[in-house]
Amino acid sequence: MAAGQISAAAFADEGRAAVERAIEANKDSVAAAGRLFADCVAADGVIHGFGTGHSQATVLEIVGRAGGLIPTNRIGLSDLVLRGGEDRSVLTDPLLERSPGLARRLYELAAPRPQDLFVIVSNSGVNNSIVDMALQVKEAGHPLIALTSLTHTRAVPALHPSGKRLADVADAVLDNCAPTGDAILPLADGGALCGVSTITSALLVQMVLAEAVGLLQAEGREAPVYVSANLPGGHERNVVLEERYAGRLHRGGF
């Protein structure tokens, strides 16, 4: 899109086009990811979501939300403080994400079981902590779904010492179809405005969820799903369902 008038309507048009591209580009990937979700739930597994920076917004689409699956766990840097015994000041370190051994420590704090599934979200797919976690997950034998921008990740150098990108390690790759740099409205000075990856990534997460629950129902299996805690009896119902996964579900903080 050439630089032009910046307006709500311009973003809506470009955002709608990005959504359509994501739907078309991910038909096979959504089916594969949905199968992995369903198999994990059927095996009494937990789906772990991990991302840093703004990718955490997409992790929140996966973990602990109304209409989503109960067996979901959020992995975040705050786990170092909440469950890892670190002082809160550790989170102020701007280089924390690059710390050697960080991914392994976060993985250990999550204490996953062999049947658990991981979803790692990163628009660029090249940050060290993201690739570290992906390699850790696969070394431990877990299925892994990547949610990334293939356009962006292919346009930038691989930063990890292994030379790997997130998409290189995953069993299924969901492409959010965001452009390099994420923003979709070009500015006259060469920059761009309005990121779109959160919108398309949220769409893909919900598509995978629908696919997975459809598979579980077709196979006569239970699909434990959250209802809104703001509905009468919703919180109490959710607590009962969460008890099945006691000690395995964490929602992060800060």
Side-chain angles (χ1 to χ4, degrees):
M1 176 183 177
Q5 183 179 6
I6 301 297
S7 67
F11 176 72
D13 288 343
E14 291 300 314
R16 187 179 299 113
V19 164
E20 292 298 330
R21 286 194 297 272
I23 292 171
E24 184 63 28
N26 285 280
K27 291 179 179 178
D28 291 342
S29 296
V30 165
R35 182 72 265 172
L36 291 173
F37 265 49
D39 289 346
C40 177
V41 173
D44 197 33
V46 167
I47 298 163
H48 300 268
F50 176 65
T52 62
H54 204 77
S55 293
Q56 294 174 91
T58 301
V59 173
L60 291 174
E61 282 293 308
I62 301 168
V63 179
R65 66 153 298 157
L69 289 167
I70 297 279
T72 50
N73 176 54
R74 176 186 170 197
I75 299 175
L77 300 181
S78 60
D79 294 349
L80 298 171
V81 176
L82 294 173
R83 298 198 312 285
E86 298 282 352
D87 186 84
R88 186 166 180 164
S89 63
V90 71
L91 300 178
T92 65
D93 180 359
L95 301 180
L96 178 61
E97 293 179 19
R98 303 180 187 179
S99 300
L102 174 66
R104 180 175 293 275
R105 179 63 174 145
L106 292 174
Y107 175 88
E108 291 170 349
L109 289 171
R113 298 184 182 180
Q115 70 269 38
D116 289 358
L117 166 71
F118 282 73
V119 182
I120 300 181
V121 184
S122 172
N123 201 54
S124 71
V126 297
N127 294 340
N128 279 348
S129 61
I130 290 296
V131 179
D132 273 345
M133 181 64 82
L135 292 172
Q136 172 66 41
V137 165
K138 292 311 301 175
E139 179 184 334
H142 301 282
L144 171 62
I145 297 170
L147 207 172
T148 190
S149 164
L150 290 180
T151 296
H152 188 134
T153 201
R154 290 167 177 165
V156 296
L159 301 177
H160 194 269
S162 68
K164 300 284 189 181
R165 296 170 171 82
L166 171 61
D168 298 329
V169 186
D171 299 290
V173 178
L174 299 167
D175 179 10
N176 63 30
C177 293
T180 303
D182 201 354
I184 59 172
L185 295 184
L187 297 171
D189 66 1
L193 182 72
C194 296
V196 74
S197 65
T198 306
I199 295 171
T200 52
S201 294
L203 170 80
L204 291 172
V205 166
Q206 299 302 332
M207 289 175 67
V208 170
L209 173 64
E211 182 74 10
V213 172
L215 289 170
L216 289 167
Q217 290 180 341
E219 294 162 3
R221 298 181 182 276
E222 177 190 7
V225 172
Y226 280 107
V227 299
S228 172
N230 295 312
L231 290 174
H235 172 71
E236 292 76 12
R237 176 186 181 278
N238 292 338
V239 168
V240 170
L241 291 173
E242 285 178 334
E243 287 176 355
R244 176 176 174 180
Y245 306 96
R248 301 171 67 190
L249 311 182
H250 306 285
R251 301 295 176 240
F254 305 161

